[in-house]
Amino acid sequence: ELHVAQSALSRLIKGLENELGCSLFDRRGRNLILNKNGQILLKYTQNIFNQFKDMKRELSYSNGRQQDVTITMMVKVASKFLPEIISGFNRLHPEARFVIIQNEALENMQQPWDICLDAGMELQEDKFSICVLKEEICLAMPRNHPLAARKSIRLEEVAGESFLGMQKGSSMNEIATFYCHKAGFEPHIVLTSDNPATLRGMLSLGLGIVFNPIITWKEVSEEEFSLVPIEGHACFRYIYLHLRPNGYTTPLVQDFKKYLINFFRTLAVQAKKYN
């Protein structure tokens, strides 16, 4: 793959290990496996390569060679709006090209990203993070559920229910688990998925109930399930727009950031008007 002879590559690795004063690989049979030292080296070299790419992008824009029109976007929430977001922005900037990455941790990224959409349960903003939406979380349940007709429900009342949830590590899973623990119980999760549409499908079959953000998970048709507000605990989540810390942000990415802020602001106004 490297077009380098194995003996030459071995010497290069040995020279690098001598220079750093530690081994970088563990030998397992005939294979070399990156060890903890090697993982540390990889983390820093990846940052160096990303900075080099940022330098080339900034130099290109600084000298009027705006050739890089790619926006790399990490999407961990609100994925159902992606077609609307991208098509709307492309009408304003037809030159823009997108790379969409989903279900990958930021720390595992092997390429520089420009913007990330994620969520949390607390309002925390800084120069790299902007809250674009605050949305209430309700309980979604089948129409024939005994509690479906209620105007509101206390979480303690559903402690014995089966829950459908997002996969571990997702912000929605952490938020739902937090509120259950706050109410004094461990949720009995019978199914997890990384796709909200899958959860809604299982919900319509009566397999459990779901913590449901009322704006970004809202369906056009709700004949098969009810959204019941939660009382006693203020259940909300905040959707954030993150810029990559210390990375170069192109003018096109800055325009896209402004577009996303306005998109979610409009979404919140429409939801308020609808409710």
Side-chain angles (χ1 to χ4, degrees), residues 121-173:
M121 69 187 85
E122 296 180 354
L123 180 59
Q124 294 179 332
E125 293 185 307
D126 54 40
K127 64 180 180 179
F128 299 115
S129 301
I130 303 166
C131 178
V132 294
L133 183 67
K134 176 185 178 182
E135 62 178 337
E136 182 183 357
I137 298 174
C138 293
L139 286 176
M141 55 189 61
R143 289 283 187 186
N144 59 0
H145 192 284
L147 300 174
R150 293 273 295 275
K151 292 185 177 181
S152 63
I153 298 174
R154 296 184 63 85
L155 281 180
E156 291 81 356
E157 297 180 76
V158 295
E161 295 281 344
S162 295
F163 284 86
L164 309 172
M166 296 294 287
Q167 64 182 3
K168 283 189 175 182
S170 69
S171 60
M172 196 60 227
N173 176 276

Side-chain angles (χ1 to χ4, degrees), residues 4-238:
V4 177
Q6 182 177 340
S7 58
L9 182 59
S10 296
R11 287 195 299 272
L12 286 170
I13 293 175
K14 187 64 178 177
L16 183 59
E17 289 179 328
N18 289 338
E19 180 180 347
L20 296 175
C22 59
S23 65
L24 302 172
F25 295 88
D26 292 333
R27 183 175 294 281
R28 296 180 185 175
R30 299 181 62 184
N31 298 320
L32 286 177
I33 307 298
L34 206 63
N35 61 22
K36 183 178 179 180
N37 298 327
Q39 291 169 358
I40 293 173
L41 174 64
L42 178 62
K43 177 181 68 174
Y44 282 97
T45 52
Q46 192 62 58
N47 288 336
I48 292 170
F49 286 132
N50 288 343
Q51 288 181 335
F52 183 74
K53 292 176 183 177
D54 280 339
M55 178 196 68
K56 292 177 66 177
R57 293 176 85 183
E58 187 168 358
L59 283 172
S60 177
Y61 273 87
S62 177
N63 289 275
R65 301 190 306 272
Q66 301 179 14
Q67 299 176 354
D68 189 350
V69 293
T70 301
I71 300 173
T72 301
M73 186 180 182
M74 290 278 292
V75 181
K76 307 181 82 172
V77 295
S79 59
K80 65 175 285 186
F81 295 107
L82 274 178
E84 185 178 353
I85 289 171
I86 292 174
S87 62
F89 188 73
N90 270 139
R91 283 194 293 270
L92 300 173
H93 295 273
E95 77 280 9
R97 298 293 178 266
F98 286 87
V99 175
I100 305 297
I101 300 170
Q102 297 177 266
N103 305 321
E104 186 170 353
L106 292 180
E107 59 270 18
N108 294 333
M109 281 287 294
Q110 297 299 307
Q111 61 178 308
W113 53 273
D114 298 304
I115 281 182
C116 173
L117 280 178
D118 202 355
M121 69 187 85
E122 296 180 354
L123 180 59
Q124 294 179 332
E125 293 185 307
D126 54 40
K127 64 180 180 179
F128 299 115
S129 301
I130 303 166
C131 178
V132 294
L133 183 67
K134 176 185 178 182
E135 62 178 337
E136 182 183 357
I137 298 174
C138 293
L139 286 176
M141 55 189 61
R143 289 283 187 186
N144 59 0
H145 192 284
L147 300 174
R150 293 273 295 275
K151 292 185 177 181
S152 63
I153 298 174
R154 296 184 63 85
L155 281 180
E156 291 81 356
E157 297 180 76
V158 295
E161 295 281 344
S162 295
F163 284 86
L164 309 172
M166 296 294 287
Q167 64 182 3
K168 283 189 175 182
S170 69
S171 60
M172 196 60 227
N173 176 276
E174 293 174 357
I175 291 169
T177 302
F178 171 82
Y179 283 122
C180 288
H181 289 172
K182 195 173 180 180
F185 68 93
E186 185 71 31
H188 175 56
I189 300 175
V190 297
L191 181 145
T192 60
S193 173
D194 61 358
N195 190 331
T198 299
L199 294 182
R200 286 190 290 267
M202 298 301 166
L203 173 67
S204 66
L205 296 175
L207 297 181
I209 63 177
V210 176
F211 280 90
N212 194 106
I214 65 172
I215 298 177
T216 54
W217 283 21
K218 189 172 183 60
E219 290 287 1
V220 175
S221 173
E222 297 175 350
E223 289 97 358
E224 296 181 330
F225 57 89
S226 298
L227 292 178
V228 185
I230 298 169
E231 65 172 283
H233 298 279
C235 294
F236 293 93
R237 78 167 179 174
Y238 299 89

